[in-house]
Amino acid sequence: MEATAGRLGREITNRMERPASSTLVVSDTAAPASGASTGGDEDGDENMNEDEDEASIATGRSSLTPSAVPDKISIGDLPVERLTTQSGFDITAAWHQYKELSLDKANRHNLYVASELQKLMSLSHIMLLSSDGYDKDMINIFGADVLEDFYLELRDKYLIKAIKFDPDMFNEVKNIVELLKDGDKTMTRTKAHMSLASMLENAGSRNARILHIIFNCISKLPKTEKSYVIAETELITNYLDPILSPMFHDPDSNRLFRWLNQKSSMYEAETNTRPDGGMSLVEQLQDVYALGFVEVKASCSAKKYVMTHMDTLRLSMFCKTALDNNIKCAMAVQAVGTHVTFFLCTIEAEALYPFLKIGRLDVPTSFESLPILLSQLDTCARIMNAYDTFCTKRNDKDPACPLTRPSLTQSQLSDVLHELNRNATPSLILAPTI
């Protein structure tokens, strides 16, 4: 969906507590981040005047002159309790230093959503962690090794490698798909459905949901690839929903997945923010808690980094809001064409919300490409387990506490976004562009 920057921000006043970390240490005092540097003022001014119409859509402004920040932004004080690595590196101090640098650059030059996404997120205390690489200033302050170790530590904490799709069921599914792909007359869609139905009788919950994904794909997919461009509505209906619904929709547990395209209940009326889809927990038919959000762009947007990175920014702020409203973790799903990226947002310490890239799936568009999805079923199982296990409501014994910090308001976010597009250096790889 297309969005303006003015739809993105909101003041958050609630407080919540972090989940425990397995190897990172929280202490009242810690040594400063060794080797830390403020980084040079290397904003880079490439491509300042390209695709101005796209940038105007993204920022919601028509003027092409960067403006100073009129609505004062504060990142708050350095937290007293520190999150440190086992080697003693002070993550909290380095993160605070990076946020100060981001705020300084935002005040002086404004920030580009595509190439400076990590800086924009940091102003709402969200740390983007991904295998795609890191902001050069972030590397200067943390060091590449610390960032990678921190990312892998958190990813392994939430994405359990031991979780896999049942290997015997995998072999049966693989045989069915190969027969369908090869056009074998002994295997029809109906016979494939009957075989999968018999497998469901002995499948556990997670394996059953994966079998439902295969069942849906066999029902929906054409035999061969089509030459026409798949628009967003068809992308959602025929290709994304058959996979995402079994992953996240469990009405028996009051955990729902819905295509929304309407204002998120987690936001006040003035934000007018509309995610494409979302996951929620419904309690007692009245209390609804957002557990995750979905944004979708057609494949034609793969190189429109301003648009796709605006979606990533929106997703991160949606998820942060969910955490500030008493949810332990929140899931974000971003589809650019048939390439789907999954993020998990957590809170690990005061003013530190990691937004982790935890996996990617390639959605098939015919029987010919269905085997690619089969090779990713273990990833699918791990993502479902992370959602089931960690995207839950906090209990009364684990209430919100003074660890959260406010997000940027609507006006603040609009003011810090640069009005000119810088589309050539994306912060994330969300889809192949060749």
Side-chain angles (χ1 to χ4, degrees), residues 50-97:
E50 67 173 357
D51 298 332
E52 291 177 359
D53 290 340
E54 181 182 330
S56 296
I57 294 173
T59 60
R61 294 177 292 181
S62 58
S63 170
L64 296 180
T65 303
S67 60
V69 180
D71 190 0
K72 183 176 176 59
I73 299 173
S74 172
I75 60 171
D77 297 329
L78 175 66
V80 174
E81 285 192 344
R82 306 296 182 82
L83 183 67
T84 63
T85 65
Q86 284 189 324
S87 63
F89 185 89
D90 192 334
I91 295 287
T92 300
W95 178 231
H96 189 80
Q97 183 179 350

Side-chain angles (χ1 to χ4, degrees), residues 365-402:
T365 52
S366 72
F367 286 168
E368 293 176 345
S369 55
L370 185 52
I372 297 176
L373 178 65
L374 297 189
S375 68
Q376 301 170 333
L377 292 183
D378 286 347
T379 297
C380 187
R382 291 166 188 150
I383 291 171
M384 287 191 298
N385 180 73
Y387 175 71
D388 295 342
T389 305
F390 301 107
C391 297
T392 60
K393 182 176 177 290
R394 303 180 77 89
N395 59 45
D396 293 338
K397 295 181 179 180
D398 185 26
C401 73

Side-chain angles (χ1 to χ4, degrees), residues 154 158-159 291 319 329-332 342-346 354-358 386-387 390-391:
L154 291 177
Y158 294 104
L159 201 70
L291 303 178
C319 288
C329 297
M331 183 73 67
F342 297 84
F343 301 90
L344 191 72
C345 189
T346 79
F355 190 70
L356 310 170
K357 181 179 175 182
I358 61 170
Y387 175 71
F390 301 107
C391 297

Side-chain angles (χ1 to χ4, degrees), residues 16 86 115 137 175 216 257 261 274 276 343 356 430:
M16 70 175 297
Q86 284 189 324
S115 58
D137 291 321
N175 182 58
N216 290 344
F257 175 81
N261 197 25
R274 292 178 173 84
D276 288 332
F343 301 90
L356 310 170
L430 295 166

Side-chain angles (χ1 to χ4, degrees), residues 1-4 7 57 232 276 297 301 307 311 314:
M1 67 190 296
E2 309 302 331
T4 64
R7 295 174 179 170
I57 294 173
E232 187 172 312
D276 288 332
K297 286 284 187 294
S301 297
M307 295 297 182
D311 275 359
R314 287 156 42 78

Side-chain angles (χ1 to χ4, degrees), residues 106 150 352 419:
F150 189 39
L352 174 56
E419 294 153 344

Side-chain angles (χ1 to χ4, degrees), residues 69-185:
V69 180
D71 190 0
K72 183 176 176 59
I73 299 173
S74 172
I75 60 171
D77 297 329
L78 175 66
V80 174
E81 285 192 344
R82 306 296 182 82
L83 183 67
T84 63
T85 65
Q86 284 189 324
S87 63
F89 185 89
D90 192 334
I91 295 287
T92 300
W95 178 231
H96 189 80
Q97 183 179 350
Y98 179 74
K99 289 187 287 185
E100 288 182 324
L101 183 148
S102 299
L103 179 57
D104 178 65
K105 290 195 173 185
N107 277 292
R108 290 188 292 112
H109 304 303
N110 290 18
L111 299 173
Y112 297 89
V113 67
S115 58
E116 297 179 300
L117 179 62
Q118 290 170 325
K119 286 186 173 68
L120 277 168
M121 285 186 176
S122 74
L123 297 181
S124 292
H125 310 282
I126 302 167
M127 179 187 284
L128 176 61
L129 294 172
S130 164
S131 57
D132 294 337
Y134 300 99
D135 179 289
K136 61 182 180 296
D137 291 321
M138 209 171 188
I139 294 174
N140 287 340
I141 292 173
F142 285 85
D145 290 344
V146 171
L147 285 169
E148 187 66 10
D149 289 346
F150 189 39
Y151 166 59
L152 294 176
E153 169 70 20
L154 291 177
R155 189 192 65 182
D156 292 346
K157 173 183 174 181
Y158 294 104
L159 201 70
I160 310 301
K161 291 181 179 179
I163 300 296
K164 295 183 178 180
F165 180 50
D166 183 270
D168 293 330
M169 289 184 178
F170 173 82
N171 289 332
E172 292 186 55
V173 169
K174 182 180 178 182
N175 182 58
I176 292 170
V177 169
E178 286 179 348
L179 292 173
L180 288 170
K181 177 177 176 290
D182 294 340
D184 193 305
K185 293 182 179 180

